[in-house]
Amino acid sequence: MAFAITQTCCTDATCVSVCPVNCIHPTPDEPGFGTTDLLYIDPDTCIDCGACADACPVDAIFPAGDLTGPLRAYEEINAEYYAGRDVLADVSVAPNFHRWSPPSFGRVLPSDFAPLDVAVVGTGPAGMYAVEDLLLHTNARVTLIDRLPVAGGLIRYGVAPDHPSTKKIGETFARFHDHPRLRLRLGAPAGPGLADRHDAVIYAVGATEARRLGVPGEDLPGSLPAATVVGWYNGHPDVEPDAVDLSAERVVVVGTGNVALDIARILTAEPDALAATSIAPEALARLRSAKVREVVVLARRGPEAAAYTRPELLALAARGGLVVDAHDPRVAAAIEGDSPGGKAAWLREVPREKVDWSTPPPEGRRIVLRFHSAPVAFGGDTEVRAVVTSGPEGEVEIPAGRVVRAAGFRGVAVPGLPFDEQAGIVPNEAGRVTGRPGVYVAGWIKRGPSGGIGANKACARETVGTLLEDAVSGRLPARRKGNGARRLLGRA
Ligand code: SF4
């Protein structure tokens, strides 16, 4: 009986490094690693040792035979990844039993350098993967800073409360908060002069601003950025408990990423089902009295181009109350014509219905996926009353009392650092901030808002590697106070 990786996979590949027979793919060295929805176990090669399940930080790995309910599909999903692959011909999926190779000491050899003092700004995944790398592989002293009083960043305030397994990775990160070489400063802005007091600074502050849609009415009251809704149900200190009014029967969410599905799922959930989660109590109370019966998820493009991941869609479909609007024949054609395992084919089991927007939503609660439908304006005088969309039927007005803009995020300029307004990132080369020696970036503020939690591991590792190269080659500026002496890195 093989093991299988399931819905909550964070793709940080901790499991890959412990598998004795190299049967978990894609690995960080293989194509597709940065964009895969989840990692997959080859059932023909797995020897059932259970090492991956023990190492998984989000409890996503189980013996395939033990899977129940909607998770049963993951036995096939894991196997499907390997179907048709000739593992003997394709060395990337062949077991290698970790053959010994000549010893490697990485880019930095142990030397007589004194410990580096590194400040890391941001306690989300990118910051914590950088901290982990610095503490485990060097003798650096780390000052970890977050402007919020509670650590965790996107894990604490971004992951939906009904995804406790995903949030569990926060416990893995929190182990480092008590490390003897780490000083934790919460509830404190990074402030000026940080670079003067440290050998290097890594900013891992994420990308928190909603990407603008550029349509009339976008700033009407009742039009909310996704970050407000996500912060509201997660109790973010910057978001007022009454920030989200749920007195409308229909809410439109613009965008098809996992954040859009999270918002649609939470707004249509049975409140009792959320009571045992980490949802903010004020948000739960509002959901109990909410009038919302329908959330419309609006996509500019077809189902083959949706941004959500397969695990999120499968979970939503298994819950029920999900419908695809059959307004455009291209939608059915894409779903039926897609090859098995293709993105549009994921919707084959989801009911389709031509939605009549002139009538109120039906009783109960449901989510409508509407593809090939771009918002061209938000209607309303004093607040949002409708979303006007453009599609195959021409312009269609969808009455809606609230609109959530979930079409992506962008970074916000960091005081004192250069900023690329177009890309919404701090310009950098492998994490080294352009024109600012000793200053680095990791995560979304470095590469833009793409990839899940695990993608930040390789990203942060690259940044730390760049920092260490600079330290060894003398490119770190001497601190104003203290020494400019060579520093002991001890990285092997
Ligand atoms: Fe690899 Fe063991 Fe996990 Fe199978 S159970 S995928 S052999 S670590």
Side-chain angles (χ1 to χ4, degrees):
M1 177 180 61
F3 278 62
I5 300 179
T6 66
Q7 181 189 340
T8 54
C9 177
C10 68
T11 68
D12 89 347
T14 301
C15 54
V16 171
S17 57
V18 299
C19 177
V21 293
N22 192 26
C23 70
I24 306 176
H25 298 271
T27 70
D29 301 328
E30 291 170 355
F33 175 76
T35 54
T36 188
D37 289 353
L38 69 161
L39 306 181
Y40 307 89
I41 292 175
D42 181 355
D44 292 335
T45 314
C46 174
I47 58 170
D48 309 329
C49 71
C52 54
D54 290 341
C56 178
V58 293
D59 286 348
I61 308 179
F62 303 96
D66 290 355
L67 296 173
T68 56
L71 293 187
R72 272 206 304 266
Y74 284 88
E75 179 174 11
E76 192 182 330
I77 289 170
N78 277 249
E80 206 176 66
Y81 180 78
Y82 297 92
R85 286 177 194 241
D86 180 350
V87 292
L88 293 177
D90 183 353
V91 293
S92 71
V93 294
N96 64 13
F97 297 97
H98 295 290
R99 288 184 292 269
W100 291 104
S101 54
S104 162
F105 298 99
R107 286 161 290 191
V108 180
L109 292 172
S111 70
D112 58 352
F113 278 30
L116 284 171
D117 283 317
V118 181
V120 176
V121 183
T123 58
M128 290 312 301
Y129 281 125
V131 165
E132 180 181 306
D133 201 8
L134 286 164
L135 293 178
L136 295 186
H137 302 129
T138 81
N139 64 350
R141 293 182 294 240
V142 176
T143 305
L144 178 60
I145 301 168
D146 202 309
R147 71 177 184 86
L148 296 175
V150 178
L154 206 59
I155 300 296
R156 169 64 185 81
Y157 295 115
V159 174
D162 58 346
H163 280 1
S165 294
T166 306
K167 281 186 179 285
K168 204 164 176 282
I169 199 169
E171 295 169 19
T172 306
F173 293 144
R175 286 179 309 163
F176 293 100
H177 294 170
D178 297 326
H179 193 284
R181 281 186 282 116
L182 184 130
R183 196 162 53 114
L184 184 60
R185 282 180 45 206
L186 297 176
L194 206 55
D196 296 337
R197 300 191 299 274
H198 297 84
D199 295 300
V201 182
I202 299 174
Y203 288 91
V205 293
T208 53
E209 198 171 85
R211 198 165 66 77
R212 290 193 64 80
L213 302 172
V215 301
E218 184 170 359
D219 295 318
L220 277 169
S223 162
L224 303 169
T228 297
V229 183
V230 172
W232 167 76
Y233 59 60
N234 276 319
H236 194 294
D238 289 351
V239 181
E240 295 295 330
D242 61 356
V244 180
D245 180 316
L246 298 175
S247 57
E249 292 180 343
R250 179 180 291 124
V251 175
V252 169
V253 178
V254 180
T256 59
N258 282 350
V259 171
L261 292 198
D262 281 349
I263 290 170
R265 190 180 67 250
I266 295 290
L267 295 188
T268 54
E270 279 298 332
D272 283 347
L274 296 174
T277 72
S278 62
I279 191 169
E282 297 85 356
L284 182 61
R286 288 208 151 214
L287 284 168
R288 287 193 188 284
S289 58
K291 296 208 172 100
V292 177
R293 299 212 300 268
E294 184 174 272
V295 176
V296 182
V297 175
L298 215 57
R300 284 174 188 272
R301 296 182 290 169
E304 68 285 353
Y308 48 66
T309 60
R310 187 178 190 180
E312 289 302 324
L313 182 74
L314 281 180
L316 205 54
R319 190 190 70 163
L322 181 66
V323 170
V324 173
D325 186 4
H327 69 111
D328 182 342
R330 284 178 295 174
V331 175
I335 294 171
E336 297 307 329
D338 201 6
S339 54
K343 213 164 210 186
W346 301 346
L347 289 166
R348 279 202 190 128
E349 309 300 321
V350 177
R352 278 166 248 162
E353 150 185 341
K354 176 99 171 61
V355 179
D356 179 0
W357 301 112
S358 66
T359 60
E363 290 300 319
R365 294 193 183 99
R366 71 176 191 172
I367 297 170
V368 177
L369 298 176
R370 181 176 162 91
F371 297 98
H372 293 297
S373 191
V376 293
F378 294 177
D381 298 328
T382 54
E383 63 175 350
V384 164
R385 291 276 171 235
V387 175
V388 181
T389 67
S390 150
E393 312 137 285
E395 290 201 346
V396 172
E397 185 170 295
I398 300 176
R402 287 289 173 271
V403 182
V404 182
R405 307 187 308 271
F409 294 92
R410 72 191 303 281
V412 177
V414 178
L417 299 192
F419 191 64
D420 180 339
E421 286 289 347
Q422 188 75 25
I425 61 168
V426 171
N428 69 92
E429 185 191 335
R432 182 189 298 113
V433 174
T434 307
R436 296 288 191 283
V439 181
Y440 303 85
V441 282
W444 283 6
I445 195 65
K446 167 188 172 185
R447 66 179 198 276
S450 65
I453 294 168
N456 291 296
K457 190 172 189 173
C459 178
R461 185 168 172 78
E462 179 190 58
T463 294
V464 171
T466 303
L467 188 162
L468 297 181
E469 281 174 13
D470 288 352
V472 166
S473 57
R475 289 202 292 263
L476 290 184
R479 279 156 56 182
R480 198 168 287 169
K481 273 190 168 180
N483 61 74
R486 285 159 58 86
R487 302 194 158 267
L488 176 62
L489 299 171
R491 182 183 172 97

